[in-house]
Amino acid sequence: MKKERLLDNLVEMLKIHSPSKKEGEYAKYLINLLKEMGASIYLDEGYLQYGGDSPSIIAKFPGDIEGDGVTLAAHMDVIEPNLNVEPIIEGNIIKTDGSTTLGGDDKGGIASIIEALRTIKEEKISHKDIYVVLTPCEEVGMLGAKYFNWDKVPHDMLPSKNMIVVDNAGDAGIIAHSAPSKYDIEISFQGRKAHAGIEPEKGINAISIASYALSHMNIGRIDDLTTSNISTINSEFPSNVVPDICRITGEVRSHSEAKILEIIDSYKKLCDEAIEKFGGNYKLDYKCDYPVLKPKDDLKFAREFAKVYEEINVPSELKVIGGGSDSNIFAEQGFNSIIIGVGMNKVHTVEEYLEIDELLKTTEAIVRYIKRNE
Ligand SMILES: [Zn+2]
């Protein structure tokens, strides 16, 4: 493993502008690099369906050992403002001048994957198949993962199910294995319009119906595994009109999808109650934004990786996280993901920075994991 080579590659990548839906140039760079390194490439064109400009990339480094290999994954898009990044390396830290984000989320992860692969090649380490999956648009609702056309992928390019996602904030040693599912909800209350001054009794105030239902809903922290939030309420009429429409939106997330449906059901009952009291009508729509992420092997893979960290004296921590990522979407395809720390800090802000030693530790752990699978 070569620190200078990793950093040179990282700085080069940080300078390529790749915000969500505009990762095309960066994808080309990566495709060329992976080809040069000897990979077979498959490109998924899911982006055509959502108006992006970059494919998802599957790269395969065939192994010289039989058996189920491993997949290394990361995302290509970065959070804006990220144009004209000037990465500053100061001791153990890579940061910016504070006018842009760094884009270390997730180019740190990609740099780590590339250096791990270079090391494996250089040291002629025997290995099973290694796949790399790089997605666009992770940061804007995991569009790359959601629109991935798995049916079109040739059989010999289908990535191994055990997936190491190199995209976690915080130190090396962090191994996230579970994340909640999230459902978006939208309730439209329908009342009846009337002149508020002349004949208000003929109207049904949609805001009143919504308020009644809302004020009885259990929102916020529901239990250890479940949270709920109402985030918009919308109704706007002149003061002399009894409003006939009021719309609210929000989300429910939980590590148990049954619990989510239970909560939504309780909201429905309250809406029924409100309608009974005020009249009018309502429509409640909900949609799964992403499914739950949980280990498919009783944490075997996560524990194996924790052992690898410990072998290089990095304290490891198995973790449950509160947000969704590509891994939630890929879980539906049978992928068994862990999301590991790369030394990213203050991600999604212009104060973002990467800790170089953490990045190196995670890279070393990836190499070691692949090596121990000999
Ligand atoms: Zn990320």
Side-chain angles (χ1 to χ4, degrees):
M1 200 170 75
K2 291 186 174 143
K3 178 178 165 186
E4 289 315 311
R5 182 170 63 187
L6 187 157
L7 291 180
D8 286 350
N9 171 235
L10 174 58
V11 167
E12 194 170 89
M13 295 195 296
L14 290 172
K15 287 181 174 173
I16 306 171
H17 192 220
S18 66
S20 306
K21 294 192 181 175
K22 291 184 189 135
E23 308 88 344
E25 188 191 342
Y26 183 38
K28 269 182 206 149
Y29 169 94
L30 288 167
I31 293 163
N32 283 335
L33 183 61
L34 290 161
K35 272 187 188 160
E36 264 172 41
M37 290 167 67
S40 320
I41 302 284
Y42 175 80
L43 302 176
D44 173 79
E45 293 187 328
Y47 68 94
L48 296 175
Q49 293 168 69
Y50 63 79
D53 75 351
S54 162
S56 285
I57 303 170
I58 300 177
K60 180 181 184 179
F61 294 86
D64 50 2
I65 302 176
E66 290 275 310
D68 240 357
V70 72
T71 297
L72 307 172
H75 65 88
M76 296 184 281
D77 57 325
V78 297
I79 296 284
E80 293 272 42
N82 190 252
L83 189 58
N84 300 322
V85 186
E86 267 309 323
I88 299 168
I89 300 184
E90 225 176 65
N92 186 41
I93 300 293
I94 310 179
K95 56 176 187 172
T96 70
D97 59 7
S99 67
T100 67
T101 60
L102 180 66
D105 173 9
D106 189 20
K107 285 171 178 165
I110 296 183
S112 172
I113 291 173
I114 290 189
E115 183 54 34
L117 292 165
R118 281 177 162 154
T119 305
I120 286 157
K121 201 170 171 194
E122 200 167 62
E123 295 181 9
K124 299 194 169 65
I125 295 169
S126 281
H127 61 84
K128 297 176 186 164
D129 289 342
I130 303 169
Y131 293 85
V132 178
V133 172
L134 301 172
T135 54
C137 283
E138 195 269 353
E139 301 283 13
V140 289
M142 294 88 87
L143 294 177
K146 277 184 189 164
Y147 285 89
F148 207 113
N149 300 299
W150 287 104
D151 299 347
K152 292 189 183 167
V153 183
H155 189 71
D156 65 334
M157 286 302 283
L158 277 173
S160 304
K161 293 301 184 205
N162 276 348
M163 181 180 261
I164 303 170
V165 183
V166 197
D167 183 29
N168 218 332
D171 290 348
I174 291 174
I175 303 170
H177 52 75
S178 297
S181 165
K182 176 167 88 78
Y183 278 57
D184 293 323
I185 52 176
E186 177 180 334
I187 313 175
S188 296
F189 295 92
Q190 176 82 50
R192 194 189 309 127
K193 247 185 205 166
H195 193 292
I198 300 170
E199 45 183 14
E201 43 284 288
K202 287 198 177 160
I204 298 172
N205 192 315
I207 295 178
S208 297
I209 315 173
S211 308
Y212 179 90
L214 265 178
S215 64
H216 292 84
M217 281 179 186
N218 185 8
I219 60 174
R221 159 79 50 204
I222 289 169
D223 61 32
D224 280 357
L225 301 176
T226 315
T227 59
S228 156
N229 189 38
I230 298 296
S231 56
T232 70
I233 173 160
N234 200 282
S235 179
E236 196 175 353
F237 290 85
S239 71
N240 62 356
V241 177
V242 175
D244 66 338
I245 285 173
C246 182
R247 190 175 146 263
I248 64 176
T249 65
E251 63 158 54
V252 185
R253 61 178 78 196
S254 177
H255 291 269
S256 153
E257 297 200 49
K259 184 74 195 183
I260 294 179
L261 297 173
E262 198 180 293
I263 295 298
I264 293 174
D265 207 49
S266 78
Y267 293 170
K268 266 188 197 155
K269 288 202 177 97
L270 289 166
C271 293
D272 288 337
E273 244 180 77
I275 295 303
E276 217 165 281
K277 194 170 162 63
F278 294 91
N281 227 319
Y282 78 96
K283 189 166 165 273
L284 189 153
D285 291 314
Y286 62 91
K287 200 174 113 242
C288 177
D289 185 25
Y290 48 81
V292 95
L293 169 70
K294 57 181 167 209
K296 296 186 192 295
D297 59 355
D298 218 10
L299 286 174
K300 181 169 172 276
F301 179 39
R303 291 211 170 97
E304 255 173 49
F305 209 85
K307 218 178 269 169
V308 171
Y309 271 130
E310 271 147 32
E311 282 166 14
I312 55 170
N313 296 315
V314 176
S316 66
E317 184 194 345
L318 299 191
K319 222 177 153 182
V320 173
I321 51 178
S325 66
D326 280 353
S327 308
N328 291 64
I329 310 296
F330 289 154
E332 283 203 307
Q333 302 298 325
F335 288 101
N336 185 41
S337 297
I338 53 172
I339 312 168
I340 59 174
V342 206
M344 296 178 200
N345 288 280
K346 297 195 176 178
V347 293
H348 299 193
T349 77
V350 293
E351 287 144 48
E352 182 189 355
Y353 65 93
L354 268 174
E355 288 173 86
I356 296 169
D357 56 356
E358 300 302 323
L359 190 58
L360 291 170
K361 285 179 206 165
T362 272
T363 308
E364 194 183 338
I366 295 170
V367 173
R368 219 182 156 89
Y369 176 82
I370 287 168
K371 208 172 181 173
R372 85 201 292 268
N373 248 0
E374 273 181 354

